[in-house]
Amino acid sequence: GENVEQHPSTLSVQEGDSAVIKCTYSDSASNYFPWYKQELGKRPQLIIDIRSNVGEKKDQRIAVTLNKTAKHFSLHITETQPEDSAVYFCAASAASGNTGKLIFGQGTTLQVKP
Amino acid sequence: DAGVTQSPTHLIKTRGQQVTLRCSPKSGHDTVSWYQQALGQGPQFIFQYYEEEERQRGNFPDRFSGHQFPNYSSELNVNALLLGDSALYLCASSWGWETQYFGPGTRLLVL
């Protein structure tokens, strides 16, 4: 069935260092890959997304790369700050027509130490 | 412009009871998806509504049902509650299958 594996489950970095979170998906029809940040007790918030016709996308300190052949995608955060501490979820969707359910990874708890 | 809203924020029920959760989508959005997030887990897809019809369904039993109204708002109903139904229930709205934006969630506790 459809599955998204996310690693690592926890990640601790020093402020200013980079952080990388990796995800692998199983459904080859997947064509949309968002990343959400969820702070404790809050809603998941979209931080960046990428579609299958693009290999890389950047937004300030955040970038996502996609390798469709290997069926994996990664989130890169540079110059990490304490406010980046949160749980990050990757997701994949085989969107078509007017439907597009998201299959989420298990999450990565990122701790940025000052 | 209001984002996605959900009500109630918290709910306590006992086993066997029924519950109804509500969601109002972001302005301009026509699609509502529901997810269940257990503690320490990623959200799991329950179902998605578009044009007042259930378009996709995840691996959830028939005890979970929903509805979408002409104004695009939606309800999630869960019958015969089990202890394992305790979770954060998230609603996400989108325009078609475009980017999904989440509401704050309803935290359900089943005793």
Side-chain angles (χ1 to χ4, degrees), chain A residues 1-4 24-34 50-53 66-73 91-97 99-103, chain B residues 56 97:
Chain A
E2 303 147 324
N3 190 45
V4 175
T24 303
Y25 60 96
S26 61
D27 185 357
S28 56
S30 296
N31 55 11
Y32 174 63
F33 308 91
I50 192 168
R51 300 190 185 276
S52 58
N53 58 347
L66 171 64
N67 183 327
K68 285 216 74 178
T69 303
K71 291 196 280 188
H72 66 71
F73 56 114
S93 173
S96 65
T99 64
K101 68 178 180 181
L102 294 175
I103 305 298
Chain B
Q56 274 192 304
W97 56 269

Side-chain angles (χ1 to χ4, degrees), chain B residues 22-49:
Chain B
R22 295 175 177 83
C23 171
S24 290
K26 187 177 168 65
S27 177
H29 286 181
D30 58 4
T31 301
V32 173
S33 304
W34 287 93
Y35 295 82
Q36 180 194 66
Q37 186 176 26
L39 204 60
Q41 303 291 318
Q44 284 204 305
F45 177 79
I46 303 175
F47 41 53
Q48 184 176 80
Y49 278 85

Side-chain angles (χ1 to χ4, degrees), chain B residues 14-98:
Chain B
T14 56
R15 280 179 297 174
Q17 284 189 311
Q18 178 263 342
V19 69
T20 296
L21 312 181
R22 295 175 177 83
C23 171
S24 290
K26 187 177 168 65
S27 177
H29 286 181
D30 58 4
T31 301
V32 173
S33 304
W34 287 93
Y35 295 82
Q36 180 194 66
Q37 186 176 26
L39 204 60
Q41 303 291 318
Q44 284 204 305
F45 177 79
I46 303 175
F47 41 53
Q48 184 176 80
Y49 278 85
Y50 172 73
E51 290 189 339
E52 301 179 53
E53 289 186 3
E54 182 183 290
R55 286 303 183 95
Q56 274 192 304
R57 189 178 183 92
N59 190 25
F60 280 80
D62 292 344
R63 297 187 298 109
F64 290 76
S65 63
H67 189 79
Q68 186 179 35
F69 299 94
N71 67 353
Y72 307 117
S73 67
S74 176
E75 287 182 350
L76 164 65
N77 300 292
V78 187
N79 295 322
L81 284 167
L82 304 173
L83 296 179
D85 294 333
S86 295
L88 179 67
Y89 288 85
L90 293 162
C91 159
S93 77
S94 58
W95 185 75
W97 56 269
E98 295 290 324

Side-chain angles (χ1 to χ4, degrees), chain A residues 98-114:
Chain A
N98 289 99
T99 64
K101 68 178 180 181
L102 294 175
I103 305 298
F104 282 85
Q106 291 301 298
T108 296
T109 301
L110 173 64
Q111 182 189 30
V112 180
K113 292 184 268 189

Side-chain angles (χ1 to χ4, degrees), chain A residues 39-103:
Chain A
E39 297 177 41
L40 194 62
K42 300 282 184 67
R43 74 185 76 192
Q45 288 198 303
L46 180 77
I47 55 171
I48 196 167
D49 57 7
I50 192 168
R51 300 190 185 276
S52 58
N53 58 347
V54 176
E56 183 175 358
K57 183 176 179 180
K58 289 184 75 172
D59 182 5
Q60 299 182 334
R61 297 185 298 108
I62 293 173
V64 58
T65 58
L66 171 64
N67 183 327
K68 285 216 74 178
T69 303
K71 291 196 280 188
H72 66 71
F73 56 114
S74 301
L75 177 72
H76 305 254
I77 306 174
T78 59
E79 300 171 23
T80 53
Q81 301 166 3
E83 50 266 39
D84 293 330
S85 297
V87 180
Y88 290 80
F89 292 99
C90 63
S93 173
S96 65
N98 289 99
T99 64
K101 68 178 180 181
L102 294 175
I103 305 298

